[in-house]
Amino acid sequence: MKTPLKATALAALGAIAIACAVPPTPAQAQSAWAIDKAAAPLKGTKIKVMFLDRPGYRAIIKLLPEFEKQTGIKVNYEIVPYENAREKQVLNFTSKGDLTMALVDLVWIGEFAESGWIVPIDTYSKDAAITDPNLNLKGFFPLLLNAFGSWDGKVYGLPFDNYSGLMFYNRCMLKESGFDQPPQTWDELKNVYAPKLTKADKKQFAFALQSLRGETQSADSFMRFLWPWGGSLLDKDFKSNLMAPGSQTGLKFRQDLMKYMPPGVVSYDHAEAVNALAQGQVAMITEWSAFYGTLTDPKTSKLGDCLAVAPEPAGPAGRLPALGGFSLAVASQASPAQQKASWLFIQWATSEAIAKPYVEAGGVSGRMAVYDDPAIQAKYKYVKPMVESWQKGVPEYRPRFPAWASLTEIVAEFGSKMMLGEAPVDQGAKEIGTRIETVLKKEGYYDGKKKKLQ
Amino acid sequence: MAQPASRLSHGRFTPLKFLAPSVLALLAVGIWPTIFALVTSLREYKLTRPRSGFPFVGLDNYQAVLTDATFWETLARTAGFYLTVMPVQLALGLAIALMLHRPGWGAVRSLLRVSLVVPLATTYAVVGLIGRLVFNRDFGVANQFASWLGLPGLDWLGNPHGAFAAIALMDIWQWTPFCALIFLAGLSMVPNEIEEAARLETKSHWALLRHVQLPYLLPGLTAVLILRSADILKLFDMVFTMTRGGPGAATELVSIYIQRVGFRIFDMGTASAQAILLLVLTIMLSRLFIRVFYREIER
């Protein structure tokens, strides 16, 4: 039989044990956690990532000294052109190189995840010592977290450099032609706006579509004219959907629209399309939100107050703008200490706390809260249409599976040939379909060997 | 005290010792990668599928390449490029060499000789970037020249024929001086007394070239043909920076296609098979050029 004293002591011990077992409230955790304390055991650790020569990366580079000062972690980065970024990272990962993080374009997520080169974030997010209690995954736009960072139900990367397709236009040119607002639909753009805005004798055109062979042709030009017309590259069985009425209508629409574009648009990359608008040669372009900085900089653009931004026009199937962007993920080849340090960096670079300075330095954050700030809304014209575009979108705007690397080459080749008139739209679409089905068959999508994820 | 005779004499292995460093270097930079490519070409070697392993597939990759219509198309385009640029480079190169071989001109000649090296010393990628500027539709030098001649501006890089012409012109700009230097070296080999005697015999420049100088130019011509065929078969940087193989497939030479297969799709097995086939083609062309053009100079 227990004595009252013993019982009291046991009860007290039990209460202490229960009290200890109860997790701290978020407020308690927040006050206890600090990045400098979390990074203390990792001081001096060197981590490495690849960056692009784009505004979002220049923005984080500006802010980097603050992170390095707080944590003592040294962040090394290499700036590479987009065209070489995947190649360099794949070679680095296959040769067990020095990258401790992956910069993952939305269309690389399947390849990087299935190859085991990146680590799901729950590996680290369970570790309270190195995970910010304010991580708040729900604070990202769900479309971005899903499309840029997730594969097969797991989150691998956090949205870092985020884009939506937007319509940038020269408000003054539109006004001169009698338009007070931008076109709301693609049909309106082609049939109402384009004829009035095109003055070929003065080398002035209504619209420019960046269509250089490569990812620019496949992602920015070809795919842009599928979804808004109810088309898509693949159907639910992963067979080509390019001969479906929606896809055919969209691709023929692109062909018809070409008469309102500058000659040689097939050789336009982003720089040429943005420059054509910036120099007043074209009235409208559909481009990534990231180019806002280039178009507002007086050194690179003479648009000034004439620049205006709107969501991409809607097609018969709705407003389904281009979606693109990059997440940052921890590389599996890094040492345990480097992985932890990389995880701290990724959280910091994509955090709500840094979102405002990041946007002010020229980046485009994937956090929702920052765009509620009236000062940000007032200062950056692209915010409203971009937030609107991210409310609804198609994560598989371009399939994100590993086979995309092969498919994009096929689409780019025949997409360009269509635009040049070397292949009629239906024949070109048929050829693309045959070739991509051959690739997907080899990949094992038709014999049930591989899950149909895109 | 004198050294023992055995230390001073050359042993059986002395030549081997002298040769060894070069042979080892050659093995490291030339033979080993070729053997690796050969072995890779017999495997299914997809870098982005490390979990599938890299199994041997025999000659499957070669079969795939030889039945790949795109490979043949790009090879035919490369042959077209070769046949477009080589005659121009040889003709211009010879003309420049003959001009610089003439007596007189003093310092100007030396300056011209040195300036011939400038295009050769320019990195391929830089040549491509220069090409993008030269052939820009709106502010390029090419259209500026055209406007001085009263011709309308051409959209060089946005038009399949224009883009092909643009890469050919940049290649001609870069490699004509090489042909000129090789031919100049050949001309300087002609013994003075023979050339002077010939000049006394005839005033015909053609007869002098055909009967006296040409035999000395043939070894150089063979070298030019061999080096340029190997070079054009692997020409990548200049074309990629200028056009990325486009518009459409207008400038997709075989090297651009192999890079696409190797470093975009990361199908190293197929890309290696393509590279090995190109190596075989280069060797065959070299043998052909030696057989047809090369002649020993009779002294």
Side-chain angles (χ1 to χ4, degrees):
Chain A
M1 189 184 160
K2 291 175 187 170
T3 62
L5 185 65
K6 216 174 178 181
T8 309
L10 278 172
L13 278 173
I16 291 165
I18 289 165
C20 290
V22 172
T25 63
Q28 283 171 324
Q30 280 163 24
S31 63
W33 197 89
I35 196 162
D36 52 347
K37 285 185 200 160
L42 303 165
K43 200 171 178 182
T45 306
K46 288 180 183 165
I47 57 177
K48 189 172 178 190
V49 65
M50 266 179 198
F51 282 162
L52 308 179
D53 187 16
R54 291 185 180 178
Y57 305 86
R58 289 194 283 272
I60 208 70
I61 289 168
K62 267 188 213 164
L63 304 173
L64 259 184
E66 186 189 325
F67 173 79
E68 291 184 336
K69 192 177 160 193
Q70 279 182 344
T71 61
I73 295 168
K74 171 74 185 151
V75 184
N76 295 314
Y77 56 86
E78 184 184 345
I79 297 176
V80 295
Y82 172 78
E83 288 72 25
N84 300 107
R86 173 173 164 267
E87 173 192 328
K88 283 194 165 245
Q89 290 191 101
V90 168
L91 293 176
N92 194 289
F93 295 142
T94 49
S95 61
K96 301 286 174 209
D98 56 355
L99 289 177
T100 66
M101 283 173 273
L103 177 68
V104 192
D105 188 2
L106 137 156
V107 282
W108 305 336
I109 186 82
E111 180 177 68
F112 283 25
E114 288 189 11
S115 300
W117 296 329
I118 50 179
V119 184
I121 67 161
D122 62 7
T123 314
Y124 295 102
S125 60
K126 287 176 194 157
D127 185 348
I130 53 164
T131 299
D132 186 347
N134 288 323
L135 176 60
N136 187 21
L137 291 181
K138 288 183 180 167
F140 288 104
F141 285 92
L143 177 67
L144 305 190
L145 188 64
N146 182 9
F148 301 177
S150 310
W151 185 249
D152 199 9
K154 282 185 184 169
V155 178
Y156 286 84
L158 300 184
F160 167 62
D161 182 26
N162 311 281
Y163 311 140
S164 170
L166 295 175
M167 166 164 281
F168 293 95
Y169 63 98
N170 186 325
R171 194 171 49 81
C172 305
M173 279 170 84
L174 262 64
K175 198 158 190 178
E176 276 169 26
S177 296
F179 301 112
D180 287 332
Q181 55 172 354
Q184 298 301 308
T185 64
W186 281 106
D187 269 338
E188 202 182 357
L189 186 152
K190 185 177 73 133
N191 299 323
V192 182
Y193 284 64
K196 281 194 173 179
L197 286 161
T198 302
K199 290 159 191 155
D201 53 328
K202 291 181 184 168
K203 290 190 178 176
Q204 183 190 305
F205 297 89
F207 187 71
L209 181 68
Q210 56 283 13
S211 301
L212 182 65
R213 183 170 170 175
E215 194 72 14
T216 309
Q217 165 65 224
S218 53
D220 297 274
S221 185
F222 189 92
M223 299 299 286
R224 186 170 251 127
F225 287 84
L226 294 181
W227 291 98
W229 281 264
S232 62
L233 186 66
L234 301 174
D235 64 15
K236 63 179 174 46
D237 298 319
F238 276 29
K239 295 281 181 160
S240 166
N241 195 38
L242 291 177
M243 297 310 285
S247 304
Q248 282 292 303
T249 313
L251 292 172
K252 282 177 183 157
F253 183 95
R254 178 176 74 150
Q255 214 63 24
D256 293 342
L257 191 59
M258 277 185 71
K259 61 174 175 268
Y260 303 114
M261 299 186 206
V265 78
V266 187
S267 65
Y268 274 35
D269 204 350
H270 298 282
E272 283 83 7
V274 169
N275 192 51
L277 178 71
Q279 302 307 322
Q281 291 164 355
V282 301
M284 299 174 279
I285 59 170
T286 41
E287 253 300 357
W288 298 116
S289 41
F291 288 98
Y292 178 78
T294 313
L295 287 164
T296 49
D297 185 346
K299 285 182 203 154
T300 48
S301 166
K302 56 181 186 186
L303 285 176
D305 284 344
C306 287
L307 175 69
V309 193
E312 284 193 17
R319 200 188 297 280
L320 295 167
L323 181 66
F326 295 81
S327 63
L328 284 175
V330 175
S332 56
Q333 67 179 1
S335 70
Q338 285 176 321
Q339 289 193 1
K340 286 180 181 177
S342 298
W343 172 236
L344 281 175
F345 171 75
I346 292 169
Q347 291 177 87
W348 172 82
T350 61
S351 66
E352 278 173 342
I354 210 169
K356 191 170 177 184
Y358 180 58
V359 171
E360 285 172 338
V364 178
S365 172
R367 293 287 186 174
M368 291 186 281
V370 68
Y371 301 112
D372 293 335
D373 185 332
I376 293 285
Q377 284 181 6
K379 192 171 174 188
Y380 301 101
K381 289 180 195 171
Y382 70 87
V383 164
K384 198 172 163 239
M386 186 181 71
V387 169
E388 191 183 328
S389 299
W390 282 343
Q391 300 308 314
K392 192 188 169 197
V394 194
E396 65 275 18
Y397 179 82
R398 286 170 280 167
R400 300 173 305 143
F401 49 38
W404 173 252
S406 302
L407 268 51
T408 186
E409 297 292 343
I410 298 167
V411 171
E413 181 180 345
F414 286 91
S416 310
K417 284 183 174 174
M418 278 181 199
M419 290 183 82
L420 290 165
E422 290 178 359
V425 167
D426 52 350
Q427 279 181 31
K430 204 170 175 187
E431 188 64 37
I432 294 174
T434 309
R435 293 191 183 211
I436 61 176
E437 283 179 10
T438 307
V439 172
L440 295 176
K441 188 179 175 192
K442 273 191 198 164
E443 290 282 323
Y445 284 112
Y446 299 148
D447 53 15
K449 281 184 192 161
K450 203 154 185 180
K451 254 167 109 174
K452 289 191 174 72
L453 295 171
Q454 57 167 328
Chain B
M1 190 180 160
Q3 291 283 327
S6 61
R7 281 215 187 167
L8 287 172
S9 65
H10 301 306
R12 278 175 61 200
F13 297 109
T14 305
L16 204 62
K17 286 176 191 166
F18 279 106
L19 284 173
S22 331
V23 171
L24 286 175
L26 196 65
L27 274 174
V29 300
I31 311 290
W32 166 244
T34 309
I35 292 171
F36 186 79
L38 187 65
V39 174
T40 305
S41 73
L42 302 173
R43 292 174 182 270
E44 186 183 302
Y45 204 105
K46 291 189 175 164
L47 268 187
T48 53
R49 309 283 189 283
R51 288 175 178 174
S52 315
F54 304 117
F56 270 101
V57 290
L59 296 174
D60 283 6
N61 288 329
Y62 287 92
Q63 193 189 355
V65 173
L66 293 172
T67 54
D68 176 5
T70 310
F71 178 74
W72 289 109
E73 278 169 26
T74 55
L75 199 58
R77 197 170 295 116
T78 310
F81 183 78
Y82 183 82
L83 294 173
T84 307
V85 299
M86 271 322 293
V88 182
Q89 288 172 356
L90 291 176
L92 287 177
L94 185 59
I96 294 169
L98 288 169
M99 216 161 60
L100 293 177
H101 183 62
R102 293 171 66 170
W105 290 14
V108 177
R109 194 163 64 153
S110 305
L111 190 70
L112 283 173
R113 282 186 188 205
V114 173
S115 65
L116 283 180
V117 182
V118 174
L120 289 176
T122 313
T123 314
Y124 287 99
V126 175
V127 175
L129 291 173
I130 294 171
R132 273 190 85 82
L133 294 175
V134 169
F135 294 103
N136 184 286
R137 187 174 65 96
D138 297 320
F139 52 82
V141 180
N143 278 351
Q144 186 66 47
F145 274 121
S147 73
W148 289 340
L149 297 172
L151 299 170
L154 182 65
D155 180 27
W156 292 88
L157 301 178
N159 166 308
H161 298 299
F164 190 84
I167 61 163
L169 286 169
M170 290 312 289
D171 191 78
I172 289 167
W173 173 77
Q174 190 177 22
W175 288 101
T176 297
F178 173 70
C179 299
L181 286 171
I182 296 278
F183 287 142
L184 198 55
L187 290 172
S188 66
M189 296 280 287
V190 183
N192 278 341
E193 58 273 25
I194 295 179
E195 198 173 318
E196 280 167 16
R199 282 185 198 279
L200 291 174
E201 290 260 335
T202 177
K203 285 190 174 175
S204 162
H205 291 296
W206 169 248
L208 183 70
L209 175 67
R210 169 74 186 82
H211 299 291
V212 178
Q213 292 169 323
L214 189 64
Y216 289 89
L217 294 176
L218 287 178
L221 173 68
T222 314
V224 166
L225 289 172
I226 291 172
L227 291 171
R228 287 300 289 137
S229 18
D231 196 49
I232 286 174
L233 281 171
K234 60 188 176 63
L235 179 62
F236 172 76
D237 316 39
M238 184 268 280
V239 181
F240 192 78
T241 43
M242 255 178 100
T243 63
R244 286 196 213 158
T251 56
E252 190 177 52
L253 304 184
V254 70
S255 53
I256 301 269
Y257 182 55
I258 294 178
Q259 189 270 353
R260 194 147 68 89
V261 174
F263 292 98
R264 300 270 157 190
I265 302 169
F266 282 108
D267 185 350
M268 292 296 180
T270 306
S272 298
Q274 291 170 333
I276 293 289
L277 287 172
L278 283 198
L279 179 66
V280 171
L281 182 63
T282 310
I283 293 168
M284 282 165 59
L285 282 174
S286 304
R287 297 300 310 163
L288 180 75
F289 291 142
I290 289 170
R291 177 165 293 204
V292 175
F293 294 107
Y294 187 74
R295 297 284 181 277
E296 288 287 344
I297 301 165
E298 291 169 18
R299 289 176 182 271

